[in-house]
Amino acid sequence: MIIPLRSDTRMDHTPYVTIFFILMNILVFILVGPPWHENSTETQYFILNYQGGLHPIQWFLSAFAHADIFHLGMNMIFLWAFGLIVEGDVGHIRFIAIYFVSIVAIGLIEQIIFYNRVGGSLGASSAIYSLMMISLLWVPHNEIECIYLIWFRPGYASIKIQWFSAIYFGLDLINSIINNYGSSFLHII
């Protein structure tokens, strides 16, 4: 496992939007909780449901719900690392647009691909993977400082964004093949 901490990207301003998105994800987790424990009207929109047609509100809201505290924590760490890069490069307003276009577009694509299958998804991973790919295209040679755990051995390293992205893409590709297109396939989308 490789966990990004920060990048060497220069920040000219405080990343207000990245901080806001992190706080919104935490707030939804606290207020709504894991939404699949109830089939209530209040929580049904926080899961991107594959059955029953296209649901635009789910494209948006499902990106702010998380399965458990580990899912939330890991996504927020990745959001911090890659949000800093993209927001630092394009500014606050464009970053909001990029983030929302990413979650809506990926929600739509996902509901079309898995149309009428049983199940659904949730989490900020789709937006975060979009930010990681944008970082890969814009600043592939910048470095991400990471901590890692490989065969129960922890360490610390700086990795170029191109290698970090390639590692995660490769692991998700292998995992999606092994697990018959599970959640790792959603990352690849």
Side-chain angles (χ1 to χ4, degrees), residues 46-183:
F46 286 91
I47 297 175
L48 185 65
N49 190 341
Y50 299 147
Q51 294 179 315
L54 301 177
H55 306 284
I57 192 74
Q58 292 176 2
W59 305 339
F60 177 77
L61 292 178
S62 66
F64 291 95
H66 289 83
D68 53 42
I69 195 74
F70 181 76
H71 185 213
L72 174 69
M74 290 302 289
N75 274 346
M76 295 308 98
I77 290 169
F78 276 69
L79 177 54
W80 176 254
F82 292 104
L84 291 177
I85 295 168
V86 178
E87 184 178 0
D89 194 42
V90 301
H92 306 307
I93 302 300
R94 288 186 182 135
F95 181 64
I96 292 170
I98 288 169
Y99 196 85
F100 286 147
V101 166
S102 295
I103 61 177
V104 168
I106 293 168
L108 170 63
I109 292 166
E110 193 176 327
Q111 273 190 334
I112 290 171
I113 290 174
F114 297 111
Y115 190 76
N116 277 336
R117 288 193 184 172
V118 175
S121 69
L122 67 156
S125 301
S126 59
I128 293 164
Y129 259 74
S130 296
L131 298 177
M132 185 169 70
M133 290 301 114
I134 290 168
S135 300
L136 172 64
L137 294 172
W138 288 348
V139 289
H141 300 294
N142 281 32
E143 294 190 350
I144 295 276
E145 294 178 26
C146 305
I147 55 174
Y148 61 85
L149 182 64
I150 299 175
W151 290 291
F152 303 104
R153 293 185 178 190
Y156 178 85
S158 289
I159 304 171
K160 290 190 182 294
I161 289 173
Q162 63 189 11
W163 291 112
F164 184 90
S165 301
I167 289 168
Y168 264 92
F169 185 82
L171 289 173
D172 279 331
L173 183 62
I174 291 167
N175 197 19
S176 70
I177 292 167
I178 291 171
N179 292 316
N180 197 23
Y181 304 104
S183 63

